Amino acid sequence: MDFDSFVEYELDLATSEGTCEVQVMQDPAGLSRCGIGSTVWDAGLVLAKYLERQTQEGKLDLQGKTVVELGAGTGIVGIALARLHPSCSVILTDKEDLLPLLKHNIGINNVTNAKAQVVNWTETQPSDLEPDMILVSDGVWARDLHQPLADTIYSMANAKTQVLLAFESRNFAEEAEFMALWSRHFTFHDIKPSEQHSVMKSEDIFLFVGHLK
């Protein structure tokens, strides 16, 4: 993949060792023809900063645990989590055409506890993934992918898995349809704005946490 047409995006992150920057290359102009996954979206930023706050407040223990991000795109959420929790293993997944971008962004951030892997929601999922946490940001924008996404989350989750879902509301009726699909196998509740980052949040972006029934 040629990154000459890409631009850099930086996210400030407060870790236990001080402030750092997560840097990712993105293609907001779409010149790489990798689709919308090659762009940083606001819901991912809100989720990353929520994870930062949870970590700062000691509410997120991922020591020795495995996290899978579905539809990782640029990887900014998973890479941020890998920086926040260097003792956990983070697997950034997306379609095959986004794998070079994910690997590149992992590399420029020098995170040794993260790797990229192909997971296509419309195909049979790898049986070796047993995540303690699943991250999904802006994964419900396409109605035809609602069922594949719900099925993928269900196939990967186990009794201990926590699912964090974030999305920017664009079509309430369609988003409600996905939530209905998700509710068949999961219980979930919304994460209140008061629990999110003090600045990086929006009335149009919703966060949910869920577990298997």
Side-chain angles (χ1 to χ4, degrees):
M1 180 178 286
D2 184 0
F3 295 103
D4 289 344
S5 63
F6 283 62
V7 295
E8 186 179 274
Y9 184 94
E10 295 182 352
L11 175 67
D12 290 332
L13 200 66
T15 72
S16 59
E17 299 179 351
T19 302
C20 70
E21 290 181 343
V22 173
Q23 300 175 340
V24 297
M25 301 302 292
Q26 63 164 339
D27 178 32
L31 298 178
S32 66
R33 299 184 180 180
C34 288
I36 66 170
S38 59
T39 299
V40 173
W41 296 95
D42 289 345
L45 301 178
V46 171
L47 180 55
K49 295 299 279 187
Y50 168 73
L51 292 167
E52 176 195 74
R53 177 175 174 178
Q54 288 287 102
T55 301
Q56 289 177 320
E57 295 179 353
K59 298 177 180 177
L60 193 58
D61 180 13
L62 294 175
Q63 178 85 25
K65 295 184 178 180
T66 299
V67 180
V68 170
E69 183 180 6
L70 298 175
T74 64
I76 194 165
V77 178
I79 292 170
L81 186 66
R83 294 295 296 269
L84 289 166
H85 293 270
S87 64
C88 78
S89 174
V90 183
I91 304 171
L92 310 179
T93 73
D94 214 310
K95 297 182 296 182
E96 187 168 2
D97 55 355
L98 281 166
L99 207 64
L101 177 59
L102 283 172
K103 289 182 176 180
H104 180 80
N105 285 338
I106 290 171
I108 62 177
N109 285 278
N110 195 29
V111 282
T112 58
N113 60 322
K115 66 177 183 179
Q117 181 173 326
V118 174
V119 171
N120 190 325
W121 304 343
T122 61
E123 299 175 356
T124 301
Q125 304 311 322
S127 58
D128 59 334
L129 295 180
E130 297 183 353
D132 299 281
M133 175 180 284
I134 296 173
L135 304 173
V136 187
S137 63
D138 255 343
V140 303
W141 61 275
R143 189 179 187 184
D144 60 329
L145 292 177
H146 284 182
Q147 188 67 61
L149 174 58
D151 291 343
T152 299
I153 295 173
Y154 179 58
S155 70
M156 289 187 179
N158 54 62
K160 65 181 180 181
T161 307
Q162 180 185 70
V163 182
L164 288 174
L165 172 72
F167 62 86
E168 182 174 353
S169 183
R170 300 176 177 88
N171 185 317
F172 179 81
E174 291 187 3
E175 290 148 8
E177 290 178 6
F178 173 79
M179 301 307 282
L181 286 174
W182 195 27
S183 69
R184 292 179 182 175
H185 300 292
F186 288 82
T187 59
F188 56 84
H189 64 82
D190 63 315
I191 298 170
K192 306 296 184 186
S194 60
E195 302 174 78
Q196 300 175 32
H197 189 265
S198 59
V199 176
M200 190 70 76
K201 56 184 174 182
S202 169
E203 62 183 12
D204 297 324
I205 295 176
F206 299 90
L207 273 61
F208 293 86
V209 58
H211 297 85
L212 274 174
K213 290 182 176 179

